[in-house]
C-alpha cells in the first residue's frame, strides 16, 4: 500500500523530507489537471515549506483568498513567468524588514496550460513579473514533451530560494527533489531502490 504522504509504495521518502524556512511566501496557482498527477513536484514544496500553499486556478473564478492577499499592503506579489512585450520581467528587490513580504505566485501546470492560465486571467497580468534564468538544465524527465530551458515547479522554487539568498534551503530542497526523481522511477518499476 502506498504511503499516504509521499505516495510511494516501495520507497517512502518521508524520513528525508526537510523542514525549510523562507523569507518569502509561495502560492502555487495550480491548474485542475495537476491535482492528482503523481509527477507533480509542487507537492515537494508544500511538504517542506510552511510558507507555501496551493490555490486552484479556475478561468471564471479567481481564488478569493489570493485576490485578498494581493490587495494586502504587507505583501509584494510577483508572478513567476517569462516576460513579453507588454510585461517586462523586473529584478527582485533584496528582502528587508522595511519592505512588504515577497509573495511568489508560481503557475503549477504544464507550459501549455500555464500560458493559457496567464492569457485567460487578466488579474495575473496586473502583477509584476520575475523570470527565472536557470543556472542548470532541468533534471525533471517524468513527462513527455519537456522543452529545453523549462523547469518543473519544484525547480522554480529552488531557483527562487537561491534568488532570495537562501542557498542552504535551496540545496536541501534540491536534494529532496533529486531523491524524489530517483525514487519515482524505482517505485513505478515496482521495486526498492
Amino acid at each position: 500500500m502506498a504511503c499516504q504522504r509521499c505516495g510511494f509504495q516501495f520507497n517512502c521518502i518521508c524520513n528525508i523530507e526537510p523542514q525549510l524556512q523562507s523569507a518569502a511566501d509561495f502560492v502555487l496557482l495550480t491548474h485542475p489537471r495537476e491535482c492528482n498527477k503523481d509527477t507533480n513536484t509542487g507537492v515537494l514544496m508544500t511538504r517542506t515549506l510552511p510558507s507555501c500553499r496551493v490555490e486552484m486556478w479556475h478561468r471564471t473564478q479567481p481564488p478569493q483568498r489570493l485576490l485578498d492577499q494581493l490587495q494586502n499592503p504587507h505583501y509584494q506579489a510577483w508572478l513567476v513567468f517569462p516576460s513579453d512585450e507588454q510585461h517586462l520581467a523586473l529584478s527582485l528587490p533584496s528582502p528587508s524588514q522595511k519592505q512588504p513580504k515577497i509573495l511568489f505566485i508560481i503557475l503549477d501546470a504544464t507550459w501549455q496550460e500555464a500560458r493559457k492560465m496567464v492569457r485567460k486571467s487578466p488579474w495575473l497580468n496586473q502583477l509584476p513579473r520575475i523570470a527565472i534564468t536557470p543556472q542548470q538544465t532541468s533534471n525533471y524527465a517524468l513527462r513527455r514533451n519537456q522543452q529545453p530551458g523549462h523547469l518543473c515547479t519544484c525547480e522554480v522554487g529552488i531557483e527562487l530560494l537561491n534568488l532570495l539568498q537562501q542557498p542552504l534551503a535551496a540545496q536541501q530542497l534540491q536534494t529532496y527533489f533529486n531523491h524524489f526523481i530517483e525514487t519515482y522511477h524505482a517505485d513505478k518499476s515496482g521495486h526498492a531502490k
Side-chain angles (χ1 to χ4, degrees):
M1 187 157 144
C3 172
Q4 292 295 310
R5 185 162 173 85
C6 72
F8 290 131
Q9 183 172 354
F10 303 103
N11 300 283
C12 177
I13 61 171
C14 294
N15 64 329
I16 60 154
E17 182 181 292
Q19 290 305 302
L20 309 173
Q21 297 299 318
S22 173
D25 284 355
F26 299 81
V27 170
L28 305 182
L29 189 57
T30 303
H31 193 282
R33 290 188 186 142
E34 286 296 309
C35 288
N36 297 317
K37 290 184 179 175
D38 57 2
T39 55
N40 180 300
T41 63
V43 297
L44 303 178
M45 291 179 62
T46 58
R47 287 183 203 148
T48 59
L49 283 162
S51 61
C52 182
R53 75 175 195 274
V54 171
E55 293 285 352
M56 294 304 299
W57 176 83
H58 296 285
R59 186 178 59 79
T60 58
Q61 288 185 304
Q64 191 59 51
R65 179 178 173 197
L66 179 55
L67 291 179
D68 292 344
Q69 193 170 14
L70 296 179
Q71 299 303 313
N72 185 332
H74 297 295
Y75 289 96
Q76 170 57 61
W78 294 83
L79 176 62
V80 183
F81 197 74
S83 60
D84 60 27
E85 292 165 4
Q86 287 93 21
H87 309 92
L88 299 177
L90 303 173
S91 297
L92 184 69
S94 298
S96 80
Q97 296 191 351
K98 293 185 172 120
Q99 299 198 355
K101 188 167 191 179
I102 293 171
L103 172 66
F104 289 122
I105 299 172
I106 302 170
L107 302 180
D108 187 22
T110 65
W111 271 101
Q112 295 84 357
E113 291 165 343
R115 282 193 292 271
K116 182 170 78 172
M117 289 165 70
V118 169
R119 196 173 56 250
K120 296 188 179 220
S121 303
W123 60 277
L124 286 174
N125 286 313
Q126 297 171 9
L127 299 173
R129 291 188 185 185
I130 183 166
I132 300 292
T133 305
Q135 301 302 310
Q136 57 189 21
T137 58
S138 176
N139 290 330
Y140 184 77
L142 301 182
R143 295 185 190 171
R144 294 185 308 245
N145 303 326
Q146 285 298 109
Q147 307 259 338
H150 290 180
L151 301 176
C152 70
T153 302
C154 188
E155 289 173 317
V156 169
I158 293 164
E159 292 292 332
L160 292 172
L161 288 169
N162 278 317
L163 273 178
L164 291 168
Q165 300 171 0
Q166 296 184 260
L168 180 58
Q171 183 54 53
Q172 289 175 315
L173 186 55
Q174 180 73 57
T175 300
Y176 183 52
F177 168 74
N178 291 345
H179 202 74
F180 170 82
I181 297 295
E182 293 166 12
T183 303
Y184 184 91
H185 294 296
D187 207 74
K188 295 304 170 190
S189 297
H191 57 81
K193 283 191 347 173

